[in-house]
Every structure is written in structure tokens, then in C-alpha cells.
Amino acid sequence: MLIYSDTVFQHIGSGTMAVFGYGRVSTTEQTADNQRIEIERAGYVVEYWFADTVSGKAHAAQRKQFGDMLTKLRKKDTLVVSKLDRLGRDAHDVLASIKRFAELSVEVIVLQLGKLDLTSPAGKLMLTMLAAVAEMERDLIVERTQAGLERAKADGKTLGRPSKTTPEQREAMMLGYANNQSVSALAKLYGVSRATVLSVVKPRLAA
């Protein structure tokens, strides 16, 4: 991980364009060096390199080095990353990042997608298509999950978390509660939480 001081960024205000590289790894056991090497092998001379060690589930805004890089980028600079997920945790987050770069007039290159500027009209079209595909994939996952649940119900399988109590225990709890045993006493007797006892006796309370 490299952090550059403001004095290093001599291109700021000089009208020159700079090439930035950004990498991300999930754990401290990993290094982003390979991502920089991949970028440089693609023909880019990385002048300023930023890298975060953070889970891929973290939004771009939660990545410290990513945020620092944003403060250094200037109009007509180029940002190169190896893969699309370096720019955000999901399609929505990536699109938000690209929008910010477009507002800065920064060219964004993702090697995974070829040397296409994602802030250009063609790049924006590709991102829109990728977002649509991601949305479709999420819908398919939900659809498959619901279909699986329906099949399980049809097969007579019990869904959800297994019950902490047996039918006999639940009947005994309701009977004990009806005979003025406290919720705390029932919880201690059956080795469960008060919340579990309340979930059993609530129907009686409602009645």
C-alpha cells in the first residue's frame, strides 16, 4: 500500500495527465502487487498506485485508499484497474463510482473488459448491460430459492430453523403458564430463553 504526499502530485494544476492504478485484496495475507504488474504488462506506466486491504463486500466509499485516490485525481487523468469489482461491491456501487469519475473527467480502464473507457458513451452502455445482467442473476437466484422452498413444502419438509422445544414441551409450557408459572421459571425449567417461552405462550396470551 503506497500513500503519496501532496508534494508528489506535481501534475496537479500543471495540465499534464497522469496514470493512476488501484488494487484491492481481501486479507493481509494477500498483496495487490500482482494487480499492479498486470496493469503495467498491459502497457500502462503507473505513476500513482493505491491499494486497499478490505473485504469485497465493502462499498467503495468505505475504502480508505480509494477515497484518498479520489482527492488526487484530476481532469484527463487515467485510472486503470484489473477487474470491475475493484471499483465497488456490486453493480450499483460500481456505477456510482464510474459516475464520480465521469464528473471528474477521468478515463477509467478495466483490463477485464478490454481497453474501453467506461466513462465514454460505449463504456456507459456496457456498464448498463452489466448491471442488467447482474439484476437478472439476482432475480434468478430468488426464483430458484422460492422454487426450492415450494418443493420442500410439497415434500413435507419443515422449513426454517429447527425448533428448540418439542411439541410435548410446548404443550407443558402452555399448561404451566396457564397455572401461573412465570415465564422466567419456565425458561429455567426447560433450559431455553424467555423469548422462546414467550413465542410458545403468546397464542394463549393473545386469546
Side-chain angles (χ1 to χ4, degrees):
M1 181 189 302
L2 298 178
I3 303 177
Y4 296 93
S5 66
D6 290 337
T7 57
V8 173
F9 290 85
Q10 296 177 359
H11 79 289
I12 296 176
S14 66
T16 60
M17 295 175 285
V19 176
F20 286 67
Y22 175 77
R24 179 191 62 76
V25 291
S26 300
T27 66
T28 53
E29 285 74 29
Q30 299 171 300
T31 174
D33 290 347
N34 288 338
Q35 295 172 41
R36 178 170 184 168
I37 292 171
E38 182 181 354
I39 291 170
E40 291 179 337
R41 283 179 178 172
Y44 294 95
V45 179
V46 177
E47 299 168 75
Y48 308 112
W49 175 250
F50 293 80
D52 278 302
T53 300
V54 64
S55 167
K57 295 180 180 179
H59 286 280
Q62 297 173 312
R63 304 174 184 179
K64 184 180 184 304
Q65 286 289 293
F66 190 89
D68 288 347
M69 179 182 67
L70 282 175
T71 67
K72 309 299 183 184
L73 286 162
R74 292 296 182 268
K75 187 174 182 179
K76 300 303 180 181
D77 282 343
T78 298
L79 169 64
V80 188
V81 297
S82 60
K83 294 183 179 180
L84 196 60
D85 65 359
R86 303 300 182 257
L87 300 176
R89 61 168 290 176
D90 51 29
H92 179 76
D93 198 28
V94 169
L95 288 170
S97 294
I98 295 298
K99 183 179 179 180
R100 295 183 70 178
F101 294 130
E103 291 171 349
L104 292 171
S105 297
V106 171
E107 181 181 8
V108 181
I109 304 295
V110 179
L111 299 183
Q112 183 185 37
L113 303 177
K115 295 184 178 182
L116 172 66
D117 176 13
L118 294 185
T119 60
S120 68
K124 291 176 182 177
L125 176 60
M126 175 176 283
L127 284 173
T128 300
M129 293 172 63
L130 289 172
V133 170
E135 183 68 27
M136 181 181 70
E137 288 178 346
R138 285 194 293 271
D139 290 343
L140 287 173
I141 290 172
V142 171
E143 185 178 326
R144 287 194 293 267
T145 300
Q146 291 177 338
L149 291 173
E150 291 300 325
R151 284 196 299 272
K153 287 181 181 179
D155 293 339
K157 295 180 181 178
T158 302
L159 303 177
R161 294 182 180 179
S163 177
K164 295 180 180 179
T165 56
T166 65
E168 293 76 16
Q169 288 175 325
R170 292 193 289 275
E171 183 64 31
M173 282 183 189
M174 288 190 287
L175 182 60
Y177 188 78
N179 289 322
N180 297 320
Q181 278 187 279
S182 70
V183 171
S184 295
L186 289 168
K188 186 175 181 180
L189 178 63
Y190 293 99
V192 295
S193 66
R194 283 174 48 85
T196 298
V197 174
L198 284 170
S199 69
V200 172
V201 302
K202 266 183 180 178
R204 187 176 294 277
L205 287 173

